[in-house]
Amino acid sequence: MSRRSGILEFAVLGLLRESPMHGYELRKRLNTSLGVFRAFSYGTLYPCLKTLVANGWLIEEPGSAPEDALAASLAGRRAKIVYRLTAEGKEHFEELLSHTGPDTWEDEHFAARFAFFGQTEREVRMRVLEGRRSRLEERLEKMRASLARTRERLDDYTLELQRHGMESVEREVRWLNELIESERAGRDQRRSDPGGPARDDITSGETDGLPRHRDDTGPDPSDDTVK
Amino acid sequence: MSRRSGILEFAVLGLLRESPMHGYELRKRLNTSLGVFRAFSYGTLYPCLKTLVANGWLIEEPGSAPEDALAASLAGRRAKIVYRLTAEGKEHFEELLSHTGPDTWEDEHFAARFAFFGQTEREVRMRVLEGRRSRLEERLEKMRASLARTRERLDDYTLELQRHGMESVEREVRWLNELIESERAGRDQRRSDPGGPARDDITSGETDGLPRHRDDTGPDPSDDTVK
DNA sequence: AATTTCATGTAATTCGTTACATGATTCC
DNA sequence: GGAATCATGTAACGAATTACATGAAATT
C-alpha cells in the first residue's frame, strides 16, 4: 500500500490518466497546466513514481514519447522513461476520485480535487464543493470570534492583516456559492463511466455548468514553473 | 547560531517583545491574535523555545504570569515557565526586523513580517511591501503566459481554477497598492527606537497610514485555534 | 565547441506533525 | 470527584526540499 503524499500521488495518476508522460514533463504540468497547486521537486516526484510503479499502478515504458515518434524509430533510445497508467492504476484513481471526506476540503487537497473535476461525477463534485464551503465558513466564524475578542488589543497592521485574510476567505466562499449554483443548474452529469479510454479530445463547449467570467489573455509564451 | 525555522523563531521573538509569556499562551497568540499565519504544534514550539534560550535570546522564568499575581504569591508554584526576551534577544529581533530580502516576500514569511509592521521602520515596510508586490506581479506574468500557451488544451474546471487563482493574486496586488500608497502618504515614521521597553500601551488612534475599511464585527467570544 | 535545456536519480537535511506521556488547575 | 482545559515535554515519523551527481539532446 505505502502511504505516499496523497496529493502528489493523486495528481500524478490524474495526469497520467490523460496520457502517458515521463517525469520531467509531468512535473511541468504539475506547476503550470494544472494551475498552481504547488511545485514538487524532482527529489519528491521521482521516488513517488517509483512507489506508484511498485504498487502496480504505473508501468515504465522505455523512451519514445508521443512527440518523439520520428526520433524514436531510430536505434538506441534509452533513459527517458515514460510512465503509463495500468488498469489497476485507473481503478485506484477512480476510487480516489469518488472519495469525499474531511481531508478533501483542506486547502491543497481541494485544489487538486478541483483540478480533476472534469473527470469527477457531479454528485461527488457537489459534496466536495459543499464540504469546502462549510469548512471555510467554520474558519470564518473562528476568525470573527477571535477578532471580536482581541480587536482592541491589536495594532492597526495586525488588524489589517486579519481583515484582508477574512476578506479572502469570504471571497472564496462567494466563488464556491457560484460554483455550487452552477452545478445545481447544470442538471446533466457527464462522465459516470470509470475506466474509459484516456480522453476523447476535449476542447468541447459547455461543461456541466460553470459560471461565465470575463476572458482576457494576450498571447505571450515564455517560461514554466509558475512558483 | 542554530538554523531554526525562521518564521516561528521570528514570530516568537516578536510576541515576546511585547510581553513575556509561557509556551501555551504563545501558541494561542500564534494562531489567533497574530492573524492566521499558521498553527504550530507544541512539538514544534517547545523545542524552538529551548533553542532560543540556548541562543541567549530568551530566559526562562518560573511561574507567576502577570495575571497570576495573586495565586503566585502563594507557596509552591512550579511548571508554567514564562519566557522573557533578553537584551540580546531584543537586539536579534531588531536585526531580523530590519532585514529585507527575497525570502521576505514569500507567502508565509510575508505574513509574519506584516504582522509586526507596527514595530518595523517605515523604510523597511516599504521595501517589504514593494518586494512582495513585484514578486506577485512576476507570478502573475508567469501564470498569464502559461495560460496563454495552454488554454485550449485545458478543460473548463482547470481553467476556472486558474482564473480564480489569478484573480486572488491580482486582488492581493491591489491590496498592496493601497498599502504602499498609504505608507507614502503617512509621512511620519514611528518607532525608530530599537530596544525600547515592551510596549507603551497601544490602543492609540492613527498608525502611520493604513487605508480605512468598513468595520463590522459583532461580539462573540468562543474558542481558539483558527485553523 | 559550448551552453542551455532536457532528463533522471540519490543522500542528507529541514521543517513540522502525531502520538505518546505526564501532571496541574478549573469548572461543574 | 470527574471532565475539560491548561501546561510541558519527547520520540517516531512524514513530507518535501536542497545539494549533489550524472549524462544526453538541442541550440547558438
Side-chain angles (χ1 to χ4, degrees), chain A residues 144-160:
Chain A
R144 276 194 257 267
S146 127
L147 187 57
R149 262 178 299 130
T150 57
R151 63 149 54 273
E152 48 287 320
R153 292 192 286 136
L154 301 175
D155 69 281
D156 292 355
Y157 284 107
T158 310
L159 237 36
E160 176 60 23

Side-chain angles (χ1 to χ4, degrees), chain B residues 26-42:
Chain B
L26 212 35
R27 191 204 173 228
K28 277 199 301 187
R29 304 280 243 100
L30 243 28
N31 307 326
T32 56
S33 320
L34 275 183
V36 193
F37 68 81
R38 40 197 318 205
F40 292 95
S41 65
Y42 297 120

Side-chain angles (χ1 to χ4, degrees), chain B residues 17-130:
Chain B
R17 222 196 82 119
E18 291 170 8
S19 81
M21 258 179 282
H22 54 265
Y24 192 86
E25 198 187 342
L26 212 35
R27 191 204 173 228
K28 277 199 301 187
R29 304 280 243 100
L30 243 28
N31 307 326
T32 56
S33 320
L34 275 183
V36 193
F37 68 81
R38 40 197 318 205
F40 292 95
S41 65
Y42 297 120
T44 312
L45 179 58
Y46 284 118
C48 171
L49 286 168
K50 285 277 165 67
T51 78
L52 294 182
V53 169
N55 286 340
W57 295 329
L58 305 182
I59 35 160
E60 307 184 339
E61 297 183 339
S64 80
E67 329 84 349
D68 274 352
L70 296 162
S73 62
L74 296 156
R77 268 260 174 270
R78 103 278 37 189
K80 205 168 190 181
I81 301 159
V82 173
Y83 292 91
R84 177 188 299 280
L85 206 58
T86 63
E88 298 83 50
K90 239 171 247 192
E91 208 184 316
H92 178 60
F93 182 64
E94 305 289 348
E95 242 169 79
L96 293 179
L97 261 194
S98 68
H99 162 258
T100 56
D103 45 305
T104 309
W105 26 87
E106 282 317 306
D107 301 303
E108 304 211 317
H109 252 309
F110 173 74
R113 292 303 304 262
F114 190 89
F116 291 103
F117 262 21
Q119 347 242 56
T120 308
E121 291 193 54
R122 212 195 96 263
E123 230 190 283
V124 175
R125 292 197 306 251
M126 267 315 227
R127 275 203 294 281
V128 172
L129 289 172
E130 280 166 348

